[in-house]
């Protein structure tokens, strides 16, 4: 069954929801991982896409996302600031570009960035675009079309807006905004010709079927870059006691996201420290990209070591003539 579905995908066909559920229930997953790797090679080749982020506005978020350390509804030790030092942002972008990172994004907490902060950060983007070749991205909440156009005019090529989880599970995690609002922002960005990065977090109590549901929503939205975060329960949040996923559940998710979204970049993102012991297997289970460096409120990875690990796994980390999506 695995190879039959794989060959159909390689020929331009697609997997069905029921087939994805059946693959998730296979007892021996090694064939599934290998097939996902074959699909990755066919659609993405061996180029490995690396992106980095900077927390440009931290904490004091009015949204009640149960997993988030930056929410005002939780009592955590997260650092709070209205806006990062702008010269610091420029310096980090230049440093990451020098290290060979392909994309750089400024990320802000809150439902959406304020007009004044957006204008200031657009100024930063313009300076980065002038001084470095790095591909620019942004993650600034539920923006409207005019806000997104302002970012685009400042040189931002991609917009990031995670749908976070399956529509059927989203209301269990967030009440202050809806997944429909996220989808609206994604559609606005696509209408403006921007690339879109959107994925979610696994391990928040959703079922395997709901992870598959999320993957199919991303397929319908034609998302080009899908970050898969693994929940790192933060003390003080509503999810601090959440049980960890098994290695098999995590690897199966990577593989199924590749089967469902064969031409997208399936991206290792937050929670990588939880899978350091299986990263090599993940890189052979459909993954084609990663978030490198530090994350929003947690320490990330060493970029030099990451590049060496990706190359050892058979990937090329050299920048292409135009950054892969």
């Amino acid at each position: 069954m695995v190879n039959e579905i794989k060959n159909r995908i390689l020929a331009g066909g697609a997997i069905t929801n029921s087939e994805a559920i059946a693959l998730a229930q296979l007892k021996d997953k090694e064939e599934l991982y290998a097939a996902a790797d074959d699909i990755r090679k066919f659609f993405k080749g061996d180029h490995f896409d690396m992106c980095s982020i900077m927390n440009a506005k931290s904490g004091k978020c009015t949204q009640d996302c149960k997993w988030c350390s930056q929410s005002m509804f939780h009592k955590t030790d997260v650092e709070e600031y209205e806006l990062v030092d702008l010269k610091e942002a420029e310096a980090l972008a230049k440093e990451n570009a020098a290290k060979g990172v392909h994309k750089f994004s400024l990320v802000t907490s809150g439902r959406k960035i304020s007009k004044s902060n957006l204008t200031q950060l657009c100024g930063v983007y313009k300076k980065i675009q002038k001084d470095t070749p790095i591909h620019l991205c942004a993650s600034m909440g539920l923006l409207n079309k005019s806000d997104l156009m302002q970012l685009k005019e400042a040189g931002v090529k991609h917009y990031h807006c995670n749908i976070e989880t399956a529509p059927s599970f989203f209301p269990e995690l967030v009440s202050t905004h809806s997944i429909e609002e996220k989808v609206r922002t994604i559609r606005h960005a696509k209408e403006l010709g921007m690339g879109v990065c959107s994925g979610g977090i696994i391990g928040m109590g959703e079922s395997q079927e709901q992870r598959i549901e999320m993957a199919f929503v991303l397929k319908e939205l034609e998302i080009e870059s899908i970050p898969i975060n693994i929940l790192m329960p933060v003390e003080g949040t509503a999810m601090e006691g959440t049980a960890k996923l098994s290695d098999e559940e995590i690897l199966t998710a990577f593989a199924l996201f590749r089967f469902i979204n064969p031409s997208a970049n399936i991206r290792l993102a937050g929670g990588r420290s939880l899978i350091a012991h299986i990263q090599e297997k993940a890189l052979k289970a459909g993954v084609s990209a990663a978030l490198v460096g530090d994350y929003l409120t947690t320490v990330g990875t060493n970029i030099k070591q990451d590049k060496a690990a990706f190359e050892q796994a058979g990937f090329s980390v050299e920048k292409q003539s135009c950054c892969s999506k």
Side-chain angles (χ1 to χ4, degrees):
M1 176 175 66
V2 174
N3 282 325
E4 177 188 338
I5 298 171
K6 178 192 79 172
N7 290 334
R8 185 197 314 151
I9 292 169
L10 297 183
I15 187 173
T16 67
N17 187 80
S18 59
E19 287 174 333
I21 292 172
L23 292 182
Q25 295 170 346
L26 291 174
K27 289 186 177 180
D28 182 5
K29 295 294 199 315
E30 295 303 321
E31 187 180 11
L32 175 67
Y33 306 152
D37 194 44
D38 288 341
I39 295 171
R40 184 271 303 169
K41 289 176 183 175
F42 183 85
F43 285 96
K44 304 303 297 181
D46 289 329
H47 174 72
F48 200 86
D49 189 71
M50 298 181 296
C51 67
S52 63
I53 61 176
M54 183 179 202
N55 196 4
K57 180 182 184 298
S58 183
K60 298 182 180 180
C61 182
T62 59
Q63 306 303 288
D64 65 355
C65 309
K66 287 185 176 180
W67 65 86
C68 187
S69 62
Q70 300 193 67
S71 170
M72 293 176 66
F73 290 81
H74 300 142
K75 293 182 179 180
T76 66
D77 296 327
V78 69
E79 186 179 3
E80 296 181 351
Y81 49 85
E82 178 60 23
L83 207 62
V84 72
D85 181 278
L86 303 185
K87 290 185 178 179
E88 212 176 294
E90 292 172 39
L92 183 60
K94 291 179 182 178
E95 178 186 332
N96 286 352
K99 291 180 178 178
V101 176
H102 308 119
K103 300 184 178 80
F104 176 76
S105 180
L106 295 174
V107 183
T108 58
S109 64
R111 179 183 177 88
K112 65 174 291 187
I113 192 171
S114 69
K115 291 287 186 181
S116 60
N117 283 353
L118 177 62
T119 298
Q120 290 182 75
L121 293 181
C122 281
V124 173
Y125 278 125
K126 289 176 182 177
K127 289 181 180 178
I128 295 171
Q129 184 184 41
K130 180 181 176 183
D131 297 337
T132 76
I134 204 163
H135 202 70
L136 298 177
C137 309
S139 182
M140 299 179 179
L142 303 173
L143 300 189
N144 59 36
K145 216 166 184 177
S146 63
D147 293 331
L148 290 164
M149 177 58 78
Q150 189 175 345
L151 283 169
K152 183 179 180 182
E153 290 173 346
V156 175
K157 298 290 193 300
H158 272 65
Y159 195 71
H160 169 266
C161 184
N162 277 348
I163 62 169
E164 306 298 3
T165 191
S168 65
F169 193 58
F170 192 91
E172 301 293 321
L173 302 172
V174 185
S175 69
T176 47
H177 61 271
S178 68
I179 198 167
E180 288 78 16
E181 289 174 284
K182 286 179 168 286
V183 169
R184 185 181 307 127
T185 295
I186 289 169
R187 293 197 188 282
H188 284 331
K190 290 182 74 69
E191 287 166 6
L192 291 174
M194 301 175 82
V196 173
C197 179
S198 182
I201 308 170
I202 62 174
M204 297 194 289
E206 77 287 346
S207 66
Q208 183 71 265
E209 288 77 13
Q210 285 170 322
R211 287 172 215 139
I212 290 169
E213 180 188 346
M214 174 170 66
F216 274 106
V217 171
L218 295 169
K219 177 183 177 67
E220 181 183 347
L221 291 169
E222 298 181 322
I223 300 301
E224 303 157 349
S225 172
I226 301 177
I228 300 178
N229 300 271
I230 299 154
L231 180 69
M232 295 183 70
V234 176
E235 186 177 350
T237 67
M239 309 208 81
E240 63 177 326
T242 305
K244 294 180 180 179
L245 294 176
S246 69
D247 292 349
E248 183 179 289
E249 286 177 298
I250 293 168
L251 292 170
T252 298
F254 288 136
L256 290 177
F257 270 75
R258 172 58 65 198
F259 267 78
I260 297 165
N261 296 275
S263 61
N265 265 327
I266 306 300
R267 189 177 302 274
L268 296 174
R272 281 183 58 196
S273 62
L274 300 175
I275 62 165
H277 60 294
I278 57 166
Q279 178 170 282
E280 191 173 343
K281 289 198 73 171
L283 293 172
K284 297 295 183 182
V287 169
S288 60
L291 173 61
V292 298
D294 288 339
Y295 306 139
L296 292 180
T297 60
T298 56
V299 176
T301 60
N302 179 287
I303 294 173
K304 184 177 180 180
Q305 292 175 352
D306 268 344
K307 289 175 69 177
F310 302 150
E311 288 176 334
Q312 188 175 349
F315 291 97
S316 167
V317 297
E318 295 303 314
K319 186 172 182 178
Q320 297 179 323
S321 58
C322 179
C323 285
S324 62
K325 294 178 178 180

